[in-house]
Amino acid sequence: MMDIPLLPQLTLYEIDIVLMKSIQKNISISIQLNQKDLFGRQKESIAGHFKGYLAENKILIDFD
């Protein structure tokens, strides 16, 4: 597994803009979660279409 660079964290406003554009234009997004594996390495990003909010701080992604 290769080292995955840690991307800068977006503000809540920036996240809302990305999610809104994803829905409006029906485009796939890539999300890097703030999670590490058992060896302390950054986990791979997840990609898919944003489908909406499930609850506070949780979103629904339809994986590509």
Side-chain angles (χ1 to χ4, degrees):
M1 179 177 205
M2 63 182 202
D3 287 331
I4 299 170
L6 187 60
L7 300 174
Q9 187 169 344
L10 300 178
T11 66
L12 291 177
Y13 177 75
E14 291 170 321
I15 293 168
D16 283 343
I17 296 297
V18 169
L19 296 178
M20 181 178 63
K21 286 181 181 180
S22 173
I23 287 178
Q24 289 175 341
K25 297 181 179 188
N26 193 33
I27 56 174
S28 180
I29 58 174
S30 178
I31 299 173
Q32 185 180 68
L33 301 175
N34 190 16
Q35 295 179 343
K36 308 283 186 199
D37 66 12
L38 295 173
F39 301 104
R41 299 175 298 204
Q42 179 64 41
K43 287 188 175 183
E44 290 188 38
S45 297
I46 58 173
H49 286 87
F50 172 64
K51 296 298 181 184
Y53 290 97
L54 294 175
E56 188 176 322
N57 295 325
K58 294 185 182 185
I59 62 173
L60 179 60
I61 300 290
D62 183 19
F63 296 102
D64 291 335

